Amino acid sequence: MILDFLFPNRCLDCNQLIDKDEIVCEICKDNIHFSNHQFCDSNGLKEKASLLFPVENAFSLMLYEKESLAQKIIQQLKYNHREKLGKILAEWTIEKLNFENQKPDLIAPVPLHPKKLKQRGYNQLHIFGNELSRHYQIPINHQLLKRTKHSKAQAKKGQSERLKTKNAYQLTEKICDKHILLIDDVYTTGNTSSNIAWEILQNSENVKISLLVMAMDV
């Protein structure tokens, strides 16, 4: 309570005082560019991803543009120790995401390298994924994938550096007859999603992969 008084929560966009469990005020929320994707239909994310790997369905909550509110939110989540923002992003996703009759069997978050996890203190997808798992009643496996190569954050890499993460992920167990929902924060080049998808496809049997991200670069 004292901390709430000394350091009140403010809207990331207009700096207005807001409830401690919010990210932005209701007015500024209208400034967020939500994608309006439908999971089971063709959309911009699915079209991009399908150029790199076989993707069943795809959904992005927001559009990620330079200096946009979506970028500010993701940066706060990842780099400013605000892990709990994952719950709000999950709630926004739940408001918009309908799996219809193609609900995945398993949620698999993109992992962090142990060194980066220790530095940051949390995986930004942990709370987000758990909230989706709870609401949609889909099991989540935080250990299905592991990151084997350490590198600096994607946001701090150049284009050429982002394409050097091949074989950076490893599947920890063989999967059979499953529809896997791969979740990540931002889809940029698609390099991360593609590497993980092929790692799963090449080491599993009868597996389908769908993709869900908080935001996609446009």
Side-chain angles (χ1 to χ4, degrees):
M1 295 293 292
I2 295 178
L3 289 177
D4 290 340
F5 178 77
L6 294 175
F7 305 101
N9 191 31
R10 294 182 179 274
C11 172
L12 284 182
D13 203 31
C14 71
N15 209 38
Q16 175 182 310
L17 288 173
I18 55 175
D19 186 85
K20 63 183 179 65
D21 295 322
E22 298 296 333
I23 308 175
V24 294
C25 67
E26 286 300 316
I27 293 176
C28 291
K29 186 178 178 181
D30 289 337
N31 295 330
I32 298 173
H33 294 166
F34 290 104
S35 71
N36 297 317
H37 285 173
Q38 298 300 315
F39 182 74
C40 297
D41 295 340
S42 179
N43 56 59
L45 178 59
K46 183 176 180 179
E47 290 171 4
K48 286 185 175 183
S50 63
L51 297 175
L52 302 176
F53 63 93
V55 58
E56 190 73 13
N57 294 298
F59 175 90
S60 174
L61 175 64
M62 302 178 290
L63 301 180
Y64 191 88
E65 301 160 301
K66 189 175 181 180
E67 306 300 330
S68 68
L69 191 46
Q71 183 186 54
K72 291 180 184 178
I73 292 170
I74 299 295
Q75 288 178 341
Q76 286 288 313
L77 171 66
K78 295 177 67 172
Y79 307 120
N80 205 32
H81 308 290
R82 298 187 67 180
E83 182 185 11
K84 292 183 179 179
L85 294 188
K87 184 175 187 297
I88 299 173
L89 290 169
E91 290 171 350
W92 290 355
T93 299
I94 289 165
E95 291 174 1
K96 299 176 180 295
L97 175 60
N98 183 354
F99 290 120
E100 298 181 11
N101 62 345
Q102 298 190 47
K103 188 171 82 169
D105 303 306
L106 180 67
I107 296 174
V110 170
L112 294 180
H113 188 275
K115 184 176 180 179
K116 185 172 290 184
L117 182 60
K118 184 177 180 179
Q119 291 172 342
R120 187 174 296 171
Y122 60 93
N123 183 330
Q124 67 273 12
L125 297 171
H126 186 87
I127 291 178
F128 178 75
N130 286 349
E131 286 296 313
L132 297 181
S133 173
R134 179 193 59 78
H135 177 80
Y136 292 109
Q137 295 296 294
I138 303 173
I140 186 169
N141 188 338
H142 291 282
Q143 284 76 45
L144 181 65
L145 299 154
K146 68 178 182 179
R147 174 97 190 206
T148 57
K149 292 182 181 179
H150 178 64
S151 65
K152 59 186 176 182
Q154 286 283 332
K156 299 177 182 179
K157 293 179 182 179
Q159 181 80 4
S160 61
E161 290 179 287
R162 292 182 183 183
L163 300 176
K164 294 180 181 179
T165 54
K166 187 176 181 180
N167 302 321
Y169 300 92
Q170 182 178 331
L171 189 67
T172 62
E173 61 184 84
K174 187 175 181 178
I175 302 297
C176 298
D177 305 316
K178 296 289 185 183
H179 179 186
I180 298 175
L181 180 65
L182 180 64
I183 63 171
D184 201 358
D185 46 34
V186 181
Y187 186 98
T188 50
T189 64
N191 191 49
T192 295
S193 301
S194 178
N195 287 339
I196 291 177
W198 284 113
E199 170 67 15
I200 295 172
L201 292 168
Q202 291 170 356
N203 295 284
S204 302
E205 292 182 3
N206 192 29
V207 166
K208 296 186 295 185
I209 295 177
S210 287
L211 180 63
L212 186 156
V213 297
M214 296 174 180
M216 63 173 285
D217 200 2
V218 294

